[in-house]
Amino acid sequence: MTSPLEQKKIKIAGPSVVTANRTWDGIVVYRTAAKSWSADLSEAAIVRNSDEAKALLAESVADDVGAIGPYIAPVQVGADGKVEPGNLREQIRRTGVTIGQPVQV
Amino acid sequence: MYAYDEIDRTLVNERVSEFRDQVKRRLSGELTEDEFKILRLQNGVYLQLHAYMFRVAIPYGTLASNQLRALAHVARKYDRGYGHFTTRQNIQFNWIKLAELPDALADLAEVGIHAMQTSGNNMRNVTSDQWAGVAPGEIEDPRIWSELIRQHTTLHPEFSFLPRKFKIAITASDHDRAAIKIHDIGLRLIKNEKGETGFEVLVGGGLGRTPFIAKTIKHFVHGRDILSYIEAILRVYNQYGRRDNIYKARIKILVHELGIEKFSREVEEEWQHIRNSSLQIDDEVIEDIRSRFTYPAYEKLPHNPDELRQAAADPDFEAWRKNSVAPHKNPGYSIVTISLKPIGAPPGDATAEQMDALADLADKYSFGEIRVGHEQNLALPHVAKRDLPGLWKALDKLGLATPNVNLITDIIACPGLDYCSLANARSIPIAQELTRRFANHELANLIGRLHINISGCINACGHHHVGHIGILGVEKNGEEVYQITIGGRADESAALGNLIGPGVKFDEVADVVEDIVEAYLALRERPEELFMDTVKRLGVEPFKERVYATR
């Protein structure tokens, strides 16, 4: 996985969010407009150009205690404003493994 | 089993205290993630897609029943009730919380288990034959030497910051179950013409982005010199191995670029400086390690007891026995492989309940000992033949008697995109679908020995290069695409598979494998001709034609 710190040139092709894993327990989180982290994608701050993305990522990287490994991930925003992950990897991170787990959680 | 001494116990306990303090400082912000990352990796803690992943070492694949119960306890208390056995005799927990990791490590330390050497650019957990010490015809128990190397390399400062990770595997049998030819160093225990114990040393094997089969660097190194010879290899690697490019940092690249002759000369020169140093092993050291391995007090039991003869009338028992039970060096006993590949389930996973129950069965039937193999199965190494029917019934109740060991549904697969942050494509669902396609045991038996290996990215944790059928998942234009190879193998005749053609989509993989298998069944000269023999005889072309004729 490319480190966000190595993402020197940030280009985004559409609406994006910053996602990471929460430090104390590792769960998937998204950077919010309130400069915090949320496990709910619908609360993520949406960025639509490179400057916005760069600023949101810089702010996220600075919050090293809250979450680790932040990076920019694509999302799709529906006509109704509903936000969905933009690729399979992010879909899996959001909804969990695509296989049955040996033990029901 | 190997009994840890006071030094081992102190080391493991001190490690827990140290990591507890490091985690505390990380969570308080005193340590940044950049500072902490190397520390967590040195304790087996990765960050994956959904959570932290905790990899625990099972040195040379040997577990005592109380240790397996401790792993079950960690799965239940700190994770989601299951663990995943890997291709290098480790177990991984996928959902663990950083804040609770020190407690999990402390619980494991009580039974002598730790996570050292499971990640980072250091010497990794030394692996060996899961049948070590019980396989008929082996030179001697390779775990004695594995333990020697473990003791020497654990936290060794010179080998804690290598250019990249470094893996050693040891076998002592003609048939290589430890996959030594795909390791950075492979050691094959042999006797010389004087009857002295030593090693054929192979170097530069590995899979990943640039796969190589290891080459023999020295045909015989005396046992007393093995540490100095390994150290000489590591010193040459440490000096010349590339640190500027992660993709070229493994020793296999150095061996390839220098050539085995030049690399060998460098090692020889270094070795002459250190071979007569304190690295030379006294017989007493080996004997001390040997004495700390305890072996069961075997009874003299019949080779073909009544219980076994009677059970043979049950076709289900016979199907299981034929594939799961192997000869033991003691004729009244057997080695039993326990398939962790039930039809439709993720390969290598075991629930806490299964682990606890297996620990009980190990106590009842296998002198309290369990083994872990790189094929992601477990084994009970000392089962009396008279107990095989009883064990089978108990395993069946636990869902652990799938009679598919070494058959097409005994699939090796990495966690893939369902868990792994490096993966480009899913592995487990592919494996699950394939096990359903070939669930019919008569069909699987008709096909015979056939290993499928699946990796979800080029890093090749599923060892796809050496699968009889190898499946590599990649990402192309946002879609999962799978490249198929055939003809690979990981044993003493290790070879890399050959690509059969363009990649196929997720939904097509099982169909393609079915086509390959149907082609094999049609092309083989006789039922005894195994898949690998047919591929060797005919090459890739007939399989390629079959797969792509209609695609």
Side-chain angles (χ1 to χ4, degrees):
Chain A
M1 187 174 70
T2 307
S3 159
L5 302 174
E6 292 165 10
Q7 289 181 317
K8 293 189 177 76
K9 289 183 181 174
I10 294 173
K11 288 182 183 173
I12 60 173
S16 302
V17 299
V18 168
T19 181
N21 292 75
R22 195 161 64 192
T23 301
W24 77 269
D25 63 356
I27 70 161
V28 175
V29 288
Y30 304 94
R31 191 67 178 175
T32 69
K35 299 185 185 302
S36 182
W37 296 99
S38 170
D40 186 347
L41 178 59
S42 69
E43 294 178 0
I46 309 289
V47 291
R48 296 177 186 277
N49 62 54
S50 298
D51 288 342
E52 287 177 3
K54 198 179 291 184
L56 189 64
L57 183 61
E59 169 203 315
S60 305
V61 170
D63 183 8
D64 182 63
V65 180
I68 63 174
Y71 62 94
I72 296 163
V75 291
Q76 293 174 347
V77 183
D80 57 356
K82 192 176 178 188
V83 182
E84 295 289 344
N87 59 36
L88 177 61
R89 183 179 197 273
E90 293 308 318
Q91 183 68 47
I92 291 172
R93 287 182 79 240
R94 185 193 184 196
T95 56
V97 296
T98 64
I99 53 176
Q101 290 177 271
V103 175
Q104 291 302 313
V105 181
Chain B
M1 289 304 306
Y2 181 77
Y4 274 2
D5 62 15
E6 194 52 39
I7 294 173
D8 294 311
R9 285 191 290 274
T10 301
L11 176 70
V12 169
N13 288 328
E14 285 181 350
R15 189 74 169 183
V16 175
S17 305
E18 188 180 78
F19 191 56
R20 190 181 293 283
D21 180 60
Q22 290 162 350
V23 169
K24 186 179 167 192
R25 288 191 287 147
R26 171 68 189 119
L27 293 175
S28 72
E30 191 182 333
L31 290 177
T32 66
E33 176 59 15
D34 278 354
E35 292 164 333
F36 180 68
K37 184 177 179 182
I38 192 167
L39 304 174
R40 67 171 164 81
L41 287 176
Q42 287 172 349
N43 289 282
V45 184
Y46 288 74
L47 181 67
Q48 297 288 27
L49 283 190
H50 313 281
Y52 292 98
M53 181 270 279
F54 179 37
R55 182 182 292 158
V56 177
I58 302 169
Y60 32 86
T62 298
L63 273 175
S65 56
N66 68 327
Q67 292 177 319
L68 186 57
R69 286 191 191 93
L71 294 173
H73 161 77
V74 166
R76 192 177 289 117
K77 183 170 181 182
Y78 303 104
D79 209 86
R80 292 193 177 178
Y82 65 98
H84 174 75
F85 289 94
T86 76
T87 52
R88 285 207 82 253
Q89 296 179 323
N90 297 307
I91 184 170
Q92 295 178 176
F93 299 102
N94 291 303
W95 305 95
I96 209 138
K97 298 177 176 67
L98 180 62
E100 294 180 352
L101 262 162
D103 290 339
L105 265 176
D107 291 352
L108 292 175
E110 286 183 15
V111 293
I113 297 186
H114 55 80
M116 286 178 273
Q117 297 184 296
T118 61
S119 57
N121 293 334
N122 52 38
M123 182 78 81
R124 297 292 184 88
N125 185 28
V126 176
T127 56
S128 190
D129 184 352
Q130 68 271 28
W131 295 1
V134 291
E138 73 178 4
I139 299 292
E140 67 175 44
D141 190 340
R143 295 174 303 165
I144 293 161
W145 301 92
S146 308
E147 173 59 21
L148 174 74
I149 296 168
R150 186 198 70 79
Q151 289 182 11
H152 182 64
T153 59
T154 298
L155 305 185
H156 191 310
E158 194 172 341
F159 310 133
S160 294
F161 299 93
L162 294 167
R164 279 290 277 142
K165 56 189 171 183
F166 201 93
K167 301 172 181 177
I168 295 180
I170 307 180
T171 185
S173 291
D174 289 340
H175 179 51
D176 176 13
R177 282 173 291 270
I180 67 166
K181 290 188 175 178
I182 57 170
H183 278 76
D184 296 287
I185 291 179
L187 299 175
R188 191 167 72 87
L189 208 52
I190 51 177
K191 297 270 188 194
N192 66 7
E193 58 279 3
K194 295 179 190 165
E196 296 169 320
T197 301
F199 297 88
E200 178 189 358
V201 181
L202 298 95
V203 68
L207 300 177
R209 187 175 300 262
T210 316
F212 286 108
I213 300 299
K215 299 170 181 69
T216 298
I217 182 172
K218 205 161 184 67
H219 290 284
F220 186 83
V221 173
H222 196 287
R224 66 173 170 259
D225 295 323
I226 195 60
L227 283 187
S228 62
Y229 196 77
I230 289 171
E231 189 141 335
I233 292 174
L234 278 155
R235 283 185 175 190
V236 171
Y237 173 51
N238 223 348
Q239 184 171 0
Y240 296 119
R242 289 182 62 168
R243 287 178 158 83
D244 63 321
N245 183 339
I246 192 172
Y247 303 121
K248 296 189 174 181
R250 296 289 292 270
I251 195 172
K252 62 189 176 185
I253 304 294
L254 181 64
V255 172
H256 177 69
E257 290 187 351
L258 285 182
I260 188 67
E261 292 78 17
K262 181 163 170 44
F263 183 83
S264 173
R265 283 199 300 276
E266 294 280 350
V267 170
E268 197 69 24
E269 190 178 333
E270 181 64 34
W271 190 38
Q272 295 313 320
H273 290 300
I274 59 176
R275 69 178 296 188
N276 294 320
S277 67
S278 58
L279 289 171
Q280 195 171 80
I281 307 303
D282 296 334
D283 290 344
E284 298 81 63
V285 172
I286 295 298
E287 288 313 310
D288 180 57
I289 292 175
R290 197 189 307 276
S291 72
R292 301 187 74 81
F293 277 94
T294 53
Y295 294 91
Y298 296 117
E299 293 177 68
K300 192 170 168 52
L301 297 173
H303 168 63
N304 191 16
D306 292 344
E307 294 88 341
L308 198 54
R309 283 201 300 274
Q310 287 160 13
D314 183 336
D316 290 338
F317 172 77
E318 273 301 279
W320 173 82
R321 187 195 60 77
K322 187 180 164 198
N323 292 316
S324 306
V325 179
H328 191 280
K329 68 179 183 184
N330 188 318
Y333 290 80
S334 294
I335 305 165
V336 175
T337 299
I338 296 162
S339 169
L340 294 183
K341 320 287 177 64
I343 302 303
D349 281 8
T351 66
E353 288 68 30
Q354 287 174 325
M355 288 190 252
D356 274 338
L358 269 175
D360 292 344
L361 290 176
D363 283 339
K364 187 172 180 181
Y365 293 117
S366 185
F367 297 90
E369 196 173 326
I370 303 100
R371 301 290 180 83
V372 183
H374 86 273
E375 299 90 347
Q376 300 179 289
N377 289 321
L378 303 180
L380 296 180
H382 320 284
V383 181
K385 285 181 172 169
R386 67 182 177 204
D387 292 335
L388 287 170
L391 173 62
W392 169 67
K393 283 179 188 164
L395 288 172
D396 197 34
K397 281 184 189 165
L398 296 168
L400 293 170
T402 311
N404 63 350
V405 174
N406 287 326
L407 299 182
I408 191 168
T409 51
D410 185 5
I411 295 170
I412 292 174
C414 73
L417 189 57
D418 279 293
Y419 291 101
C420 179
S421 63
L422 297 174
N424 304 118
R426 287 171 290 167
S427 301
I428 296 171
I430 298 285
Q432 291 174 301
E433 177 59 18
L434 285 169
T435 61
R436 291 186 199 104
R437 292 283 181 106
F438 295 98
N440 182 308
H441 183 67
E442 286 178 15
L443 172 63
N445 248 344
L446 180 75
I447 296 164
R449 187 169 190 141
L450 202 167
H451 298 300
I452 296 179
N453 292 51
I454 309 172
S455 302
C457 78
I458 195 63
N459 292 299
C461 294
H463 298 177
H464 65 276
H465 297 290
V466 290
H468 296 175
I469 298 176
I471 301 171
L472 165 64
V474 299
E475 184 254 320
K476 197 172 178 184
N477 300 324
E479 277 196 51
E480 296 164 292
V481 172
Y482 295 83
Q483 298 173 353
I484 316 287
T485 53
I486 61 172
R489 58 196 301 170
D491 59 10
E492 61 280 4
S493 305
L496 304 174
N498 294 303
L499 197 63
I500 63 164
V504 298
K505 291 182 180 176
F506 179 87
D507 292 335
E508 297 176 307
V509 175
D511 293 339
V512 167
V513 172
E514 272 189 340
D515 284 350
I516 292 170
V517 170
E518 282 174 14
Y520 155 63
L521 292 175
L523 290 165
R524 69 182 180 186
E525 288 185 326
R526 56 191 188 287
E528 295 76 30
E529 184 177 86
L530 298 178
F531 175 78
M532 284 302 292
D533 298 329
T534 306
V535 174
K536 192 175 177 184
R537 182 168 57 81
L538 298 174
V540 169
E541 280 307 314
F543 297 93
K544 185 176 181 176
E545 282 170 22
R546 174 63 180 255
V547 168
Y548 294 101
T550 56
R551 287 187 174 83

